[in-house]
């Protein structure tokens, strides 16, 4: 510090005793006590102060207007000055001050209009000097601005000169609140008088450069005042002050939006002059509220293409902001803006701007330079970046992976310091993981991202499960084809929480959810598709090896896999003419199917399911002509039926199933078939409930009366005699039902009649006309006995239909004439 | 006796008719009696004219001679009655005789010396006047005075440096102020700037006072009178270091005289700019600087630029060794002690 040449003299207390010299127009000299800065008054007091001030303003305004109306300029100026003097108060909080300010401005507008009308006989240049005699600076500057704006409007002076002068003179007000409002007045009064390109003030009045300089200068000074407002309050009022400041932020931000509205600013100017100056101010003010707000406003008001060209500057600035600034939201808003912009107009991005790299590099720097930045913020930034890269570079999957990699690294660091993930952080992780799914609409592409799993792995079991479900659902929704074992392996490796018990699984999933989840997984099997059977089979094998680890899940997952295998077998069989190894392949698949069943068998309560699966396998094996496999499957089914099916309803249903399968399989020779048929009839005969027995026998009759035209060679099984015997036996059973339970056997008789007519029609000679007639008569008698009631209306209907059928048959078949209705 | 008394009672009406007054400027001057409207002369201008003397009632006045004097004198109020004539010229108008009912005399002070300006101060007055005298032997002389007002235009000062100074109170307040010039003409504008180099007090406002100091007499009879012509607020609120505050004070609106230094060894009138900073405890920090005022010939144009501004001085700031501090934030800790 230079040695002080001279000391200032100091005087304590007191004020000048000398009388004041005369001014060109007198100014009120209520100077001394007014500038107190104690605004810690209650709301009531504030309102009172405001009321008092308003009263003074009202009186002075009235006198000013009266003076103006009688063309007494000097007197009017005196009153104008007096009313502005009310703004010199330091007692009002910004909110109340603003209210007063608005009122004062309203009156000044009247003065402004008068000055513009040229009635006063003074040149505006003279007026511009005249108002500068005001002894107090605040009224002086308000008046100067008022006159100055009229002066510019008159175009008798270059706008730039007045603007420059005004903005410089305003430096005299260093009090934050008063300065801010004064400068806001300056800004408002000059907003339509800037020498912007296309403006009437352009040219002689200056260039857009002057306009920019003016606004920037005002902006910088206002920001400094705004920041200072914070530091002039006692520490205890910090929060209140912050709140007030936030409300005032608008005044400062207006300057930036005004800049953004200048048509004359070209991108080069913006890049080289305007933005650097703004950012320099933002950085140097070192105030969190200002930095936060100004960055957000800057991003908000300037256009997207400007941002594109200056990304580097803005992002580098972010790294230099004070630690309290929440830069996440700043960068996020920038990224989101640009992402939208670029996806709207992709051709606007110049080739030399690599948005992703710029953001990626700068965000990394920011995150590292500002640690510890909350993890959730780091992640949120990356989420935005992810969105950007997906929107702008949809095909650059490596960008997405880069983002995930960065996150994985951050997450690992977090894990190493064994910090819990916050709720918000988890939310962000979910977004990181879900967004690529949603955008790619192909989980396989997502799973190709190397770092995807690394991010997933930091989640807890339940969260991983959620992500797994998303993946599965996504695959299903988008019908994503999985075509190889590798893909199956990869996909399944991402959804292990759904496939097996996990070591960190503390929570149990409730049964409903579990079932839903497993149904979803089972639907995945249908997505495994490939025209190449070997590849497809390989994929099934991979799937099975994963499903095999699933414990109780196998009941859900292996079933669809088994059916897929069976479909594949049929596909091979259909194409057998072109494939000499077809039989080998089908055998392999059938073994695979058998293995699946073995797996399913291990889960509880699976017996009736397994029986059906054996039957299905038998059927397919039969259709493919693999008779020994078909036989084995069926015997397996029979064994299990005998051992494990106890419920009578299930038994009946299973027999139904068995008959169905046996009826369809055409490859058995007699030695194979006979025992199976006999066994089936025995099962039917052993059913506990008589109606079941009866119906079971009815069904079994069909096993003795069947034509296999597709078999090689085609064969017919027409054992009419045994059909007749079994029908008779069934009728007897039906008869025995009736003895105890009244009409309930009527249905059985009618059904029996139906069957008989079937065989009659198919020319089973053992089923004679006589046999049929007897049966009809018997049924009719029984029905008459029972009389008509609601219970047997269906039976009647059935019978009538049968009779109608017979009559219809009579028209072209003479054999039916013999049947008596 | 009647004649005698009548003579005594004879009144003479004297009227000065100064030549070429139509174009002459006038000034309203507050004198002992009343406000007078006086014609303004500059140093070299001749004072010519006529004097019309009317003796009432058609009488005549007998006299020992008639003359008119041109007098420049300094009147010190503490020394009433003791006037210092620094110049005196006489035109003899008539020899002894009688003054008729109406007579016109011509006078001509072409070479009248008027080196000082007329001045009407608190303790001193410098005046020029014409004094018409009818000398009589028996009765008191009949006299009549007519003041004129003299101003002197000066040529612009050859040397006119700025006033620039770094002042302060150690570790409390350091400022540097700069007034563009040290010499101003009366309709001039003072342009200046104040830099705050260090601010550790809570300043409430800053003002610039224009002070006029009149000194008269010497030794035990030295009288100083200060008069604040204006107090002009130039800053509201507390600045932080690095701020610079503009000054622009128009002088044209004030009733000013040029600086008078030691006029005839009798008095001086000097002007000062007093820069005052007031803190929240109402302590006043001030620095007074003399400025010289001079009278510029109005004919050469006195228009001032209503937007004149001090030259920006940013460059110098940058070369200063101090690292630029945060622009908006205040100094680390504010200590309000001085």
């Amino acid at each position: 510090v230079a040695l002080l040449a001279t000391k200032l003299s100091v005087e304590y207390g007191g004020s000048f005793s000398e009388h004041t010299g005369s001014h060109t127009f007198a100014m009120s000299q209520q100077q001394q006590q007014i500038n107190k800065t104690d605004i810690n008054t209650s709301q009531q007091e504030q309102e009172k102060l405001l009321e008092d001030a308003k009263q003074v303003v009202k009186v002075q305004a009235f006198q000013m207007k009266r003076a103006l109306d009688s063309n007494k300029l000097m007197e009017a100026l005196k009153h104008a000055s007096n009313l502005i003097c009310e703004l010199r108060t330091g007692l009002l909080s910004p909110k109340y001050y603003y209210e007063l300010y608005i009122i004062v401005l309203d009156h000044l507008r009247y003065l402004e209009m008068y000055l513009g009308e040229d009635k006063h006989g003074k040149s505006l240049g003279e007026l511009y000097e005249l108002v500068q005699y005001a002894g107090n600076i605040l009224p002086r500057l308000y008046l100067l601005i008022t006159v100055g704006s009229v002066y510019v409007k008159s175009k008798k002076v270059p706008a730039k000169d007045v603007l420059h002068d005004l903005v410089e003179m305003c430096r005299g007000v260093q009090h934050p609140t008063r300065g801010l409002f004064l400068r806001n007045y300056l800004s408002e009064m000059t907003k339509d008088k800037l020498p912007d390109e296309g403006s009437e003030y352009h040219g002689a009045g200056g260039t857009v450069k002057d306009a920019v300089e003016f606004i920037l200068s005002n902006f910088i000074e206002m920001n400094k005042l705004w920041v200072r407002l914070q530091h002039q309050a006692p520490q205890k009022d910090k929060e209140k002050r912050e709140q007030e400041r936030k409300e005032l932020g608008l005044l400062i931000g207006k300057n930036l939006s005004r800049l953004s509205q200048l048509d004359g600013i070209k991108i080069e100017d913006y890049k080289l002059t305007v933005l650097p100056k703004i950012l320099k101010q933002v950085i140097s003010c070192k105030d969190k509220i200002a930095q936060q707000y100004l960055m957000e406003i800057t991003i908000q008001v300037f256009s997207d293409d400007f941002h594109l060209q200056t990304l580097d500057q803005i992002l580098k600035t972010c790294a230099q902001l004070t630690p309290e600034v929440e830069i996440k939201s700043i960068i996020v808003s920038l990224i989101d803006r640009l992402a939208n912009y670029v996806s709207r107009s992709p051709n606007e991005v110049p080739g030399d701007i690599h948005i992703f790299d710029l953001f990626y590099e700068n965000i990394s720097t920011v995150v590292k330079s500002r640690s510890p930045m909350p993890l959730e913020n780091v992640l949120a930034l990356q989420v935005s970046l992810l969105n950007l890269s997906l929107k702008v570079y949809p095909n650059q999957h490596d960008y997405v992976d880069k983002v995930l990699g960065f996150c994985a690294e951050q997450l690992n660091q977090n894990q190493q310091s064994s910090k819990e993930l916050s709720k918000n952080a988890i939310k962000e992780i979910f977004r990181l993981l879900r967004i690529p799914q949603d955008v790619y609409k192909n989980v396989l592409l997502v799973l190709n991202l190397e770092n995807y799993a690394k991010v997933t792995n930091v989640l807890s079991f339940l969260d991983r499960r959620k992500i797994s479900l998303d993946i599965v659902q996504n695959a299903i929704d988008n019908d994503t084809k999985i075509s190889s074992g590798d893909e199956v392996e990869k996909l399944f490796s991402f959804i292990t929480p759904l496939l097996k018990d996990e070591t960190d699984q503390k929570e149990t999933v409730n049964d409903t959810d579990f079932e839903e989840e497993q149904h979803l997984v089972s639907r995945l099997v249908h997505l495994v598709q490939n025209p190449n059977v070997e590849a497809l089979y390989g994929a099934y094998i991979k799937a099975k090896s994963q499903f095999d680890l699933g414990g109780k899940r196998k009941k859900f997952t292996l079933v669809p896999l088994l059916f897929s295998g069976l479909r594949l077998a049929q596909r091979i069989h259909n194409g057998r003419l072109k494939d000499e190894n077809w039989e080998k392949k089908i055998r392999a698949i059938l073994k695979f199917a058998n293995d699946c069943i073995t797996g399913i068998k291990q889960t509880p309560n699976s017996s009736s399911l397994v029986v059906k699966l054996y039957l299905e396998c038998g059927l397919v094996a039969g259709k493919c002509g693999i008779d020994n496999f078909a036989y084995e499957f069926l015997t397996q089914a029979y064994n299990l039926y005998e051992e494990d099916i106890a419920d009578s309803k299930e038994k009946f249903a299973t027999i139904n199933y068995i008959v169905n399968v046996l009826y369809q399989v055409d490859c058995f020779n007699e030695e194979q078939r006979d025992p199976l048929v006999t066994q089936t009839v025995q099962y039917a005969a052993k059913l506990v409930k008589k109606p079941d027995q009866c119906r079971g026998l009815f069904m079994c009759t069909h096993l003795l009366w069947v034509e296999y035209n597709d078999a090689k060679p085609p064969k017919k099984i027409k054992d009419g005699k045994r059909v007749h015997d079994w029908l008779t036996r069934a009728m007897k059973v039906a008869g025995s039902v009736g003895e105890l339970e009244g009409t309930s056997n009527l249905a059985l008789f009618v059904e029996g009649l139906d069957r008989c007519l079937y065989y009659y029609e198919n020319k089973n000679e053992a089923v004679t006309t006589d046999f049929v007639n007897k049966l009809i008569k018997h049924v009719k008698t029984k029905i008459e006995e029972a009389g008509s009631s609601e219970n047997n209306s269906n039976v009647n209907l059935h019978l009538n239909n049968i009779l109608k059928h017979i009559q219809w048959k009579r028209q072209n078949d003479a054999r039916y004439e013999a049947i008596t209705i | 006796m009647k004649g005698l008394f009548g003579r005594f009672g004879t009144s003479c009406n004297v009227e000065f008719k100064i030549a070429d007054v139509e174009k002459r400027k006038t000034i309203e001057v507050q004198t002992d009696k009343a406000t007078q409207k006086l014609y303004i002369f500059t140093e070299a201008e001749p004072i010519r004219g006529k004097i019309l003397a009317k003796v009432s009632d058609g009488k005549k006045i007998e006299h020992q001679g008639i003359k008119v004097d041109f007098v420049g004198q300094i009147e010190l109020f503490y020394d009433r009655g003791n006037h210092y004539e620094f110049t005196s010229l006489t035109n003899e108008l008539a020899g002894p005789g009688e003054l008729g009912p109406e007579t016109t005399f011509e006078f001509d002070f072409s070479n009248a010396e008027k080196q000082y300006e007329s001045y009407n101060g608190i303790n001193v007055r410098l005046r020029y006047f014409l004094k018409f005298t009818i000398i009589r032997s028996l009765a008191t002389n009949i006299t009549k005075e007519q003041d004129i007002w003299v101003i002197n235009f000066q040529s612009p000062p050859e040397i006119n440096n700025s006033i620039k100074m770094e002042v302060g109170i150690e570790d409390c307040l350091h400022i540097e102020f700069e007034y563009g010039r040290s010499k101003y003409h009366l309709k001039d504008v003072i342009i200046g700037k104040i830099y705050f180099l260090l601010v550790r007090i809570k300043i409430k406002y800053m003002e610039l006072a224009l002070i006029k100091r009149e000194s008269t007499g010497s030794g035990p009879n030295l009288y100083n009178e200060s008069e604040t012509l204006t107090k002009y607020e130039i800053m509201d609120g507390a600045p932080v270091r690095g701020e610079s505050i503009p000054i622009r004070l128009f002088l044209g609106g004030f009733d000013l005289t040029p600086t008078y230094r030691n006029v005839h060894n009798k008095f001086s009138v000097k002007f000062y700019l007093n820069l005052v900073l007031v803190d929240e405890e109402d302590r006043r920090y001030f620095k007074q600087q003399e400025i010289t005022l001079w009278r510029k010939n109005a004919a050469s144009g006195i228009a001032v630029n209503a937007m004149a501004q001090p030259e920006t001085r940013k460059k110098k700031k940058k070369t200063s060794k101090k690292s630029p501090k945060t622009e908006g934030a205040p100094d680390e800790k504010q200590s309000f002690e001085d």
Side-chain angles (χ1 to χ4, degrees), chain A residues 681-697:
Chain A
V681 176
Q682 280 175 15
Y683 289 159
K686 278 184 192 161
L687 285 170
V688 177
K689 290 185 182 168
K690 295 250 162 101
D692 291 348
Q693 261 184 44
C694 173
R695 288 186 172 114
L697 285 169

Side-chain angles (χ1 to χ4, degrees), chain A residues 16 32 132 140 174 178, chain B residues 205 232-233 236 284 309:
Chain A
F16 283 131
Q32 306 305 335
Q132 293 187 57
R140 183 196 313 147
Q174 293 288 321
R178 294 195 283 271
Chain B
Y205 63 92
Y232 194 68
E233 191 186 13
D236 170 24
R284 306 168 68 82
Q309 288 202 349

Side-chain angles (χ1 to χ4, degrees), chain B residues 13-289:
Chain B
N13 196 345
V14 180
E15 201 181 323
F16 290 85
K17 294 202 162 174
I18 297 169
D20 312 325
V21 290
E22 303 80 25
K23 293 174 217 154
R24 201 159 287 285
K25 285 186 175 155
T26 57
I27 182 171
E28 303 244 330
V29 177
Q30 179 78 36
T31 60
D32 300 342
K33 297 152 210 161
T35 310
Q36 277 188 295
K37 202 174 182 183
L38 303 180
Y39 293 109
I40 296 173
F41 287 79
T42 59
E43 186 172 16
E45 280 180 307
I47 302 167
R48 297 194 193 97
K50 291 172 182 171
I51 299 167
L52 180 65
K54 281 184 192 166
V55 183
S56 51
D57 305 334
K59 289 178 183 151
K60 290 183 176 178
I61 296 172
E62 195 178 316
H63 59 85
Q64 299 297 313
I66 298 174
K67 63 171 184 175
V68 61
D69 298 299
F70 175 74
V71 181
Q73 72 179 22
I74 295 168
E75 299 168 7
L76 293 163
F77 298 159
Y78 66 88
D79 195 12
R80 284 211 172 259
N82 220 347
H83 298 161
Y84 302 91
E85 288 190 4
F86 55 86
T87 188
S88 177
L89 294 171
T90 305
N91 275 192
E92 298 290 347
L93 299 177
E98 280 191 338
L99 184 65
E102 192 171 316
T103 319
T104 302
F105 305 100
E106 292 199 3
F107 64 91
D108 183 353
F109 295 104
S110 293
N111 303 317
E113 209 183 319
K114 304 184 284 293
Q115 66 177 98
Y116 305 124
E117 288 200 337
S118 298
Y119 174 70
N120 223 353
I122 298 165
N123 286 324
V124 64
R125 182 160 70 187
L126 191 152
R127 59 186 285 248
Y128 291 94
F129 59 94
L130 293 162
K131 185 175 180 185
F132 176 81
T133 312
I134 303 171
I135 306 161
R136 296 195 295 185
S137 50
L138 294 172
T140 49
N141 294 343
I142 295 173
T143 60
K144 170 83 182 194
E145 292 179 5
Q146 170 66 52
D147 282 57
I148 61 156
W149 192 263
V150 172
I151 59 169
N152 286 331
F153 295 118
Q154 292 158 285
S155 45
E158 284 172 16
I159 302 167
N160 198 349
N161 295 324
S162 63
I163 299 174
K164 200 160 156 184
M165 197 174 282
E166 194 175 321
V167 294
I169 290 166
E170 205 152 345
D171 296 331
C172 175
L173 177 68
H174 291 187
I175 63 170
E176 186 179 303
F177 65 81
E178 181 175 352
Y179 306 127
R181 293 196 284 273
S182 49
K183 296 166 184 171
Y184 298 91
H185 63 77
L186 301 183
K187 307 288 178 195
D188 215 341
V189 54
I190 296 172
I191 301 297
K193 203 151 205 187
I194 292 151
Y195 284 96
F196 285 83
L197 304 172
L198 176 76
V199 189
R200 287 198 184 143
I201 51 170
K202 281 192 169 174
I203 296 171
K204 203 156 68 176
Y205 63 92
M206 174 166 70
E207 63 185 18
L208 194 62
L210 179 60
I211 295 167
K212 170 177 155 183
R213 183 171 298 154
E214 178 187 291
S215 331
T216 51
S218 58
N221 288 325
L222 179 68
Y223 294 91
N224 278 324
E225 289 286 350
S226 285
E227 186 184 351
T228 300
L229 300 177
T230 187
K231 276 200 281 187
Y232 194 68
E233 191 186 13
I234 53 174
M235 185 183 77
D236 170 24
V240 293
R241 95 194 254 176
E243 292 292 350
S244 75
I245 306 299
I247 301 172
R248 183 158 73 212
L249 173 59
F250 291 93
L251 298 176
F254 305 108
D255 187 16
L256 298 174
T257 69
T259 297
Y260 301 136
R261 288 187 206 284
N262 216 6
V263 177
H264 210 69
N265 274 326
K266 293 292 179 232
F267 75 99
S268 298
V269 176
K270 293 180 180 174
F271 293 89
Y272 298 87
L273 285 177
N274 194 22
L275 182 69
V276 186
L277 291 107
V278 180
D279 72 11
E280 288 191 341
E281 260 109 90
D282 279 332
R283 272 188 292 260
R284 306 168 68 82
Y285 307 81
F286 59 90
K287 182 70 196 168
Q288 201 160 297
Q289 284 291 311

Side-chain angles (χ1 to χ4, degrees), chain A residues 1-16 18-24 29 31-33 35-37 88 125 128-129 131-140 144 151 157 161-162 164-166 168-176 178 220-221 223-224 227-228 231-232 280-281 284-286, chain B residues 165-170 173-175 177 187 193 202 204-205 207 209 211 226-240 242-255 274-278 280-287 304 306-309 312 314 322 326-330 334 338:
Chain A
V1 181
L3 271 179
L4 295 179
T6 320
K7 285 213 158 193
L8 273 171
S9 316
V10 187
E11 224 174 52
Y12 288 89
S15 56
F16 283 131
E18 296 96 322
H19 82 276
T20 325
S22 60
H23 292 177
T24 312
Q29 293 285 330
Q31 182 149 319
Q32 306 305 335
Q33 293 307 314
N35 288 357
K36 289 242 166 160
T37 51
R88 298 180 67 219
Y128 197 79
E129 180 181 333
V131 292
Q132 293 187 57
Y133 284 100
N136 285 325
I137 186 158
L138 202 69
R140 183 196 313 147
L144 194 65
Y151 201 10
V157 64
D161 292 352
V162 176
H164 177 71
D165 188 56
L166 291 175
E168 280 300 307
M169 293 317 280
C170 282
R171 286 176 188 275
V173 179
Q174 293 288 321
H175 183 276
R178 294 195 283 271
I220 289 170
E221 293 305 317
N223 188 46
K224 291 199 288 195
V227 171
R228 215 182 290 163
H231 301 282
Q232 290 187 351
K280 188 179 163 220
Q281 174 59 26
S284 65
C285 79
K286 291 189 177 162
Chain B
M165 197 174 282
E166 194 175 321
V167 294
I169 290 166
E170 205 152 345
L173 177 68
H174 291 187
I175 63 170
F177 65 81
K187 307 288 178 195
K193 203 151 205 187
K202 281 192 169 174
K204 203 156 68 176
Y205 63 92
E207 63 185 18
I211 295 167
S226 285
E227 186 184 351
T228 300
L229 300 177
T230 187
K231 276 200 281 187
Y232 194 68
E233 191 186 13
I234 53 174
M235 185 183 77
D236 170 24
V240 293
E243 292 292 350
S244 75
I245 306 299
I247 301 172
R248 183 158 73 212
L249 173 59
F250 291 93
L251 298 176
F254 305 108
D255 187 16
N274 194 22
L275 182 69
V276 186
L277 291 107
V278 180
E280 288 191 341
E281 260 109 90
D282 279 332
R283 272 188 292 260
R284 306 168 68 82
Y285 307 81
F286 59 90
K287 182 70 196 168
V304 292
M307 287 175 224
Q309 288 202 349
T312 42
K314 283 249 160 82
K322 269 184 235 167
T326 326
E327 274 179 50
Q334 296 193 336
D338 56 348

